[in-house]
Amino acid sequence: MTDSTRIPTTRLGEHGGPEVGVQGLGCMGMSFAYGPTDEKESRATLERALELGVTLYDTADAYGAGENEKFLSPFFKAHRDELVIATKFALSIPPDDPTRRIIRNDPPYIRQAVEASLQRLDVDVIDLYYMHRRDVNVPIEETVGVMAELVREGKVKHLGLSEVTAAELRAAHAVHPIAVVQSEWSLFSRDIEAYVIPAARELGVALVPYSPLGRGFLTGSFAAADKDLTPDDFRRQQPRFTGDNAAANVALLDPIRTVADSHDASLGQIALAWVHQQAAQHGLPAVPIPGTRKPSRVEENTAATRIVLSEEDLALLDPIAGKVSGNRYADMTFTSAGRE
């Protein structure tokens, strides 16, 4: 492996955030949501990602009811000084119904959640701690106030928010510097460009786009979730990936395929290259976190950072999001777009 295969780095925000590789790794699918997993291959994926310069690893306490944090713990301990651990709180799992999620942002719950995550991860401090989803019944100033206390107590280094509106981001940032806002951003999902991204740029907050590959749909790996994926796959619940919506959205891959052919690249590489260039055009640091469980996919994804799309390429790709059929979630009130 030569140095040229390693991705460059960027800093997460203008307020002392950590320096990380310009692409991270979403780890949810290694133990949750996307069907059967191969533990050995997933562990090899983690190691290969680090070799390629991926240093931001994203998990959450809700992924597999804590099992994802436990799974990642040995890797994190073996490479503690080389990587940045990001985890989240807010999606509480009722003991009597493990399939449900209840959004909680109240201070007692946050303190309970951080202690549980620290124990599962087996670390002394969490590098980046996110509010996973917003409970509108709790003032965000109160939530971030408790998160700030965790920083002062040495349990957390940096704060992040996921799926917040521009107004919520500004209110939170006034309480304590926010390093990162995480939201879905891809060729299929561009709603954050209207309000959230301008606010993040104004405040010096970095962006961590999740699902930059449209949960795999943009790679062409499946065409209809209800037909192509296993019954336990989370994507079967998302409107844009099933029925007539999926049939219409498959046709939107054609311009991506045209651009990919011109670069001798995969569909996924073009989707990721677009996110990187779109962030540069908006003038803020962004570290997308595509998820995968295969070392070969990590190699493919990180190689996308070396693809430069032309103005003609971007013009072909630009109209796609406006033509997408179906929402990204059945209930959009839990997203920034649902509350803007």
Side-chain angles (χ1 to χ4, degrees), residues 255 260 302:
T302 54

Side-chain angles (χ1 to χ4, degrees), residues 188 196 288:
F188 267 24
V196 176

